[in-house]
Amino acid sequence: MESAMEDLQDMFIVHTIKEIEGLISAHDQFKSTLPDAHREHEAILAIHKEAQRIAERNHIKLSGSNPYTTVTPQIINSKWEKLRQLVPKRDHALLEEQSKQQSNEHLRRQFASRANVVGPWIQTKMEEIGPISTEMNRTLEDQLSHLKQCERSIVDYKPNLDLLDQQHQLIQEALIFNNKHTMEHICVGGEQLLTTIAPTVNEEENHILTCDAKGISQEQTQEFWASFNHFDKDHGGALGPEGFKACLISLGYYVENDRQGEAEFNCIMRLVDPDRSGLVTFQAFVDFMSWETTDTDTADQVIASFKVLAGDKNFIIAEELQRELPPNQAEYCIACMVPYQGPEAVPGALDYKSSSTALYGESNL
């Protein structure tokens, strides 16, 4: 009886209908042994009663305890009564779990029937969106039109994604962790699709605006994008310093592999990454490359402007920059410029020529 009571109170954790049905079957087998156990229980008590009758008939006073066992009829009756009470409680717990697993299986099948349709649709759309911005045989306007068509189709399809998300919420609340009826990941693809298309459309619009504003040809933009995308290994939309440098070199921008080259590259990084995040976005990259492809006189003009501020000297000092420029511009120039190494240098002298050349190309001055 003690062993049976332990089994009847044993906790169980199941995840499928098959598992709970196995427990119910085992419980039914146990219940089928109860009639025999009851007869044995009655037989043991009958022996005790017979002993009492013999003692009374022969005027024998029993000591009240059995030297051969500590188990009394009261203990046997108490355990038997407790066991009888535990059986229907176990019945209720198993049937309740069976109902829960049947409900869970219904949720699995319901989710799977929709996920097996929505999942492939999401995958198809992701595969369609990805290459649009790199299609060399389309104009930027055509690419943008294609992206907006995809965006409209996603918006039209969103009720299906919302319904799938609602079904997923029910699955999470039911603590369902696996579903043999589908291999689709729950709603992650849908969220990724919705959060991918809008930035992609916005990026394409920015490409067009950049081309128009900076006079860059579509071929140049495509070249910039192809190189940027190649070095953006994790497709996060930004390059680290090394990836950015490799991207510049791939487009023919020469970066000296020495201290001076490192200083110039750091100056460029401060230009394209003013927030010091350590990342260069495609827009910042295009802005920089557009400066590189504009009028070659720009570097001369910048150097000439600095020369005026410096009082015709070949170097400039921080005080002059702070006096002549707005605070943020002065701070930026001081951070970008390397120390001047000429023979007439004074303490704190800054080389505005090399910094201008690094940003705007070689100068004729």
Side-chain angles (χ1 to χ4, degrees), residues 303-322:
I303 290 173
S305 298
F306 276 122
K307 195 165 187 175
V308 171
L309 298 180
D312 209 34
K313 300 189 300 291
N314 290 323
F315 61 87
I316 194 167
I317 58 176
E319 289 77 4
E320 291 169 333
L321 291 169
Q322 292 166 342

Side-chain angles (χ1 to χ4, degrees), residues 1-8:
M1 285 190 292
E2 288 178 354
S3 176
M5 284 190 290
E6 286 181 6
D7 290 341
L8 289 171

Side-chain angles (χ1 to χ4, degrees), residues 89-236:
K89 290 182 179 179
R90 188 69 167 185
D91 285 333
H92 177 74
L94 291 172
L95 291 175
E96 190 176 59
E97 184 63 30
Q98 184 183 42
S99 175
K100 174 184 173 183
Q101 291 303 324
Q102 289 171 342
S103 174
N104 287 356
E105 181 64 11
H106 173 71
L107 289 175
R108 288 189 186 95
R109 292 180 180 276
Q110 187 180 50
F111 176 82
S113 65
R114 186 165 298 276
N116 288 336
V117 174
V118 174
W121 183 89
I122 291 174
Q123 183 63 32
T124 299
K125 280 297 173 186
M126 292 295 290
E127 292 173 355
E128 181 182 354
I129 292 170
I132 291 177
S133 296
T134 58
E135 293 175 334
M136 297 299 185
N137 59 338
R138 288 174 177 261
T139 65
L140 293 177
E141 287 73 14
D142 288 341
Q143 292 174 6
L144 179 61
S145 176
H146 191 179
L147 284 170
K148 287 189 173 181
Q149 288 176 5
C150 289
E151 186 176 34
R152 284 192 294 271
S153 68
I154 293 170
V155 172
D156 293 341
Y157 199 77
K158 193 173 184 300
N160 295 284
L161 301 175
D162 292 340
L163 182 56
L164 186 65
D165 185 58
Q166 292 170 12
Q167 293 172 345
H168 173 229
Q169 293 299 323
L170 295 175
I171 281 181
Q172 286 187 313
E173 291 169 6
L175 301 178
I176 298 173
F177 302 109
N178 56 71
N179 191 343
K180 66 180 181 180
H181 306 298
T182 181
M183 295 297 291
E184 297 299 331
H185 290 292
I186 302 173
C187 296
V188 174
E191 289 299 321
Q192 183 179 357
L193 184 62
L194 291 169
T195 56
T196 296
I197 186 64
T200 305
V201 170
N202 185 59
E203 186 176 82
E204 198 69 18
E205 290 174 337
N206 286 337
H207 288 182
I208 294 174
L209 292 174
T210 298
C211 286
D212 293 342
K214 302 183 181 299
I216 304 174
S217 68
Q218 178 173 324
E219 290 74 17
Q220 286 176 308
T221 302
Q222 295 284 16
E223 183 183 9
F224 295 162
W225 173 250
S227 181
F228 185 92
N229 193 50
H230 173 76
F231 291 100
D232 183 16
K233 300 300 184 183
D234 61 356
H235 302 292

Side-chain angles (χ1 to χ4, degrees), residues 250-320:
S250 73
L251 292 170
Y253 187 93
Y254 187 65
V255 180
E256 291 280 359
N257 190 24
D258 56 18
R259 180 183 294 182
Q260 181 69 17
E262 188 65 25
E264 292 177 357
F265 178 73
N266 289 336
C267 186
I268 295 172
M269 278 299 299
R270 286 191 290 269
L271 178 67
V272 297
D273 179 26
D275 296 331
R276 308 295 194 270
S277 67
L279 296 172
V280 181
T281 65
F282 180 69
Q283 187 61 48
F285 171 68
V286 171
D287 287 343
F288 175 76
M289 293 307 298
S290 70
W291 296 332
E292 288 300 307
T293 56
T294 53
D295 188 357
T296 56
D297 290 334
T298 301
D300 294 340
Q301 294 170 354
V302 172
I303 290 173
S305 298
F306 276 122
K307 195 165 187 175
V308 171
L309 298 180
D312 209 34
K313 300 189 300 291
N314 290 323
F315 61 87
I316 194 167
I317 58 176
E319 289 77 4
E320 291 169 333

Side-chain angles (χ1 to χ4, degrees), residues 41-61:
H41 163 255
E42 293 296 325
I44 292 172
L45 294 180
I47 293 173
H48 175 70
K49 291 177 181 178
E50 179 64 19
Q52 285 182 320
R53 281 194 297 270
I54 292 173
E56 289 172 358
R57 189 166 57 243
N58 293 280
H59 306 290
I60 299 171
K61 185 176 180 181

Side-chain angles (χ1 to χ4, degrees), residues 267 270 306 321 325 328-338 350 355:
C267 186
R270 286 191 290 269
F306 276 122
L321 291 169
L325 297 176
N328 60 335
Q329 291 183 16
E331 181 182 354
Y332 174 75
C333 290
I334 293 169
C336 286
M337 291 181 182
V338 298
L350 299 172
S355 298

